[in-house]
Amino acid sequence: MSEVNIRQVPNDFAASAHVNLEQYESMYRRSIQDPNTFWAEQAKTYLDWFQPWDSVLEGNFEGEARVTWFKGGKLNVAHNCLDRHLDTRGDQAAIIWEGDDPSEDRTITYRELHAEVCKFANVLKAKGVSKGDRVSIYLPMIPEAAVAMLACARIGAVHSIVFGGFSPDALRDRIQDAEAKVVITSDQSLRGGRKVPLKGNADKAAAQCPSISTMVVVKRGGEPVEWKEGRDVWYHEEVAAAAADCPAEPMDAEDPLFILYTSGSTGKPKGVMHTTGGYLLQAAMTHKLVFDYKDGEVYWCTADVGWVTGHSYIIYGPLANGAKSLMFEGVPNYPDNGRFWQVCDKHNVATFYTAPTAIRMLMGAGDEFVTKHQRSTLRLLGTVGEPINPEAWEWYHRVVGDGRCPIVDTWWQTETGAHMIVNLPGAVDMKPGSATKPFFGVEPLLVDDQGNEITETPAEGNLCIRNPWPSMMRSLWGDHKRFVETYFKMYPGLYFTGDGARRDEGGDYWITGRVDDVLNVSGHRLGTAEIESALVLHPKVAEAAVVGYPHDITGQGIYAYVTLMAGEEGDKALADELVKLVRTEIGPIAKINLIQFAPSLPKTRSGKIMRRILRKIAANELENLGDTSTLADPEVVNVLIDNRLNK
Ligand code: WTA
């Protein structure tokens, strides 16, 4: 590991950081040895409770993996994110919104956001939404998305956000699974100067969702939309007519806060369910300590609220801490590749948090897009979503951060709710490409394929977590059995992350990527099974196998092997059709890069597709294909190699 270029956080940063190394080590020790006392203290420090809890942690990862945190405690997330700040910072910005068009922006204070949330909560109530009901949100990055989330939280409704880049079919599946009563959308969304007909998509989805009685429509794009009387209402009209007084519902710490669908290695997307108290605590605490957030600073996470990063680090964590959270509607390359840095200057951004794919893309566009902007207020940079390659790290550090800003590499997942492994700035040295050390209360470990813990160091293996942490998901919506089978069966008594990792001599963790059949394209999770199901819908397709391969910008690209029905010919036109089909079924984020038509796929004698071999061929790594002797027909592999597309 001698080639690792260890970097220290600059002294002046470290001197004022919330946590130094000594504090990190002693707090970490306590968090593991005595989690109940540790987390009780944190819960009192970070959150406002209407009523204290009966027990801190109950349960473990054995059996049904039923876990509770702060059971019996009563609190409300919207109260914590809004009401409690009104006396001290009512007139301070809560959300600084920057539109797709650089001339459009809006600052919303805590008082204004509170008023709007109360009104919209009353609208939801009037539409028959009460505690425990589900509300689907299919919105672009506009302040109303934050209002909708917090309004649900205020009345105890469970929100399920569906990323605006998902197709009508994907939205339909998610609404149906959650049995949502209401869907909130906008006429159009606006990204990179282009309009996407969100309401049109929502109409198509809702037509097959009998549970939906109301569609609330925010006016954003301004183009005409179809209207279904009795179901559709305009957001602005309803809010204008609503009362501004809406008490925050006292929720049990274990009441559900939201469902967020994410891709797994098999079957349909899973409805990851998060609850109230533990989730908000770890989101708030990590936001403050990992980003070393200081009161009054402008903090910017570039994610979309449709992903977990947007939930925890645009809305819940920052607002619980009374932060100024910047919300950006647009894209990094519109009007040009300097947009991020132009926005940093315009709003005096101190913390900037983005994904490696965006960094790689901007790195390719050239330094001048960065250096023509000042970036003088930047203090800290962050990355999330996939492993960051050292070159991109160095560029981010040297060019974007002028060598002055520490970078935090945050490893976590939709399922974990908040940061899990991360180099706390001021406490832990930076190693480009490594998320380094566990956050408080998190016990990572490596296991081999047989499930034995690997105790030596350095080592490489499957990344598991030993004990419950406050912001962990509690279940999969409506399917606790799948929850147990997906995460706790493979290595009994442990949570299996689906990621591989390396532990270096210093005990620091390096995430190497998914070891299951989940793809990570531009930091977005996609299941190979979902893409395959879409491909086989085509009447000419007999069978499909999808794998990821290394891609310079998006981290992974999507490579599909397709076997056609007897007598069919694969050509460019058919490949284009298949790409389009997958886009229609799942959404524009599921863009296949390469399609190889294959007369047959390598299978074991029991008929299982050997994905390991397909991955190697897609990656153009032919030296070490491994054992092919168990294949039913080893010759198939040579045909695939001869016709491979990534040479
Ligand atoms: C990957 C996103 C390396 C990992 C918050 C994980 C990362 C998946 C990092 C979860 C990181 C996330 N370094 N890999 N800092 N952060 N990942 O659910 O494979 O969309 O399992 O949550 O992203 O993706 P998800």
Side-chain angles (χ1 to χ4, degrees), residues 394-423:
E394 294 293 345
W395 183 83
Y396 197 29
H397 187 251
R398 178 174 53 81
V399 181
V400 175
D402 280 332
R404 154 178 66 79
C405 305
I407 297 178
V408 289
D409 183 344
T410 63
W411 175 83
W412 61 297
Q413 310 178 292
T414 306
E415 292 88 341
T416 72
H419 297 158
M420 298 289 281
I421 301 182
V422 56
N423 53 303

Side-chain angles (χ1 to χ4, degrees), residues 262 308-309 383-387 409-415 499 511 514 520 523 525:
T262 191
V308 74
T309 308
T383 103
V384 59
E386 46 172 325
D409 183 344
T410 63
W411 175 83
W412 61 297
Q413 310 178 292
T414 306
E415 292 88 341
D499 279 324
I511 311 299
R514 303 289 305 195
N520 190 330
R525 269 168 75 166

Side-chain angles (χ1 to χ4, degrees), residues 602 610-618 625 627-628 631 637:
M610 301 266 286
R611 290 172 177 280
R612 178 174 51 80
I613 293 175
L614 294 178
R615 274 189 220 114
K616 292 256 180 191
I617 297 174
L625 282 184
D627 184 12
T628 53
L631 285 175
V637 175

Side-chain angles (χ1 to χ4, degrees), residues 341-342 344-345 349 367 369-379 398-402 404-405:
W341 327 119
Q342 176 252 327
C344 284
D345 282 1
V349 171
D367 294 6
F369 286 108
V370 187
T371 52
K372 75 176 175 196
H373 301 284
Q374 297 295 314
R375 294 156 289 113
S376 56
T377 50
L378 280 179
R379 210 169 71 79
R398 178 174 53 81
V399 181
V400 175
D402 280 332
R404 154 178 66 79
C405 305

Side-chain angles (χ1 to χ4, degrees), residues 3 7 26 35 97 126 140 163 201 216 223 254 278 311 351 384 390 405 423 438 466 507 541 553 568 598 616 618 624:
E3 75 276 17
R7 300 300 180 78
S26 77
W97 178 76
F163 175 57
N201 289 351
V216 182
E223 306 290 331
E254 280 301 331
H311 284 62
T351 310
V384 59
C405 305
N423 53 303
R466 203 186 302 279
V541 173
I553 303 291
E568 299 294 348
K616 292 256 180 191
N624 200 352

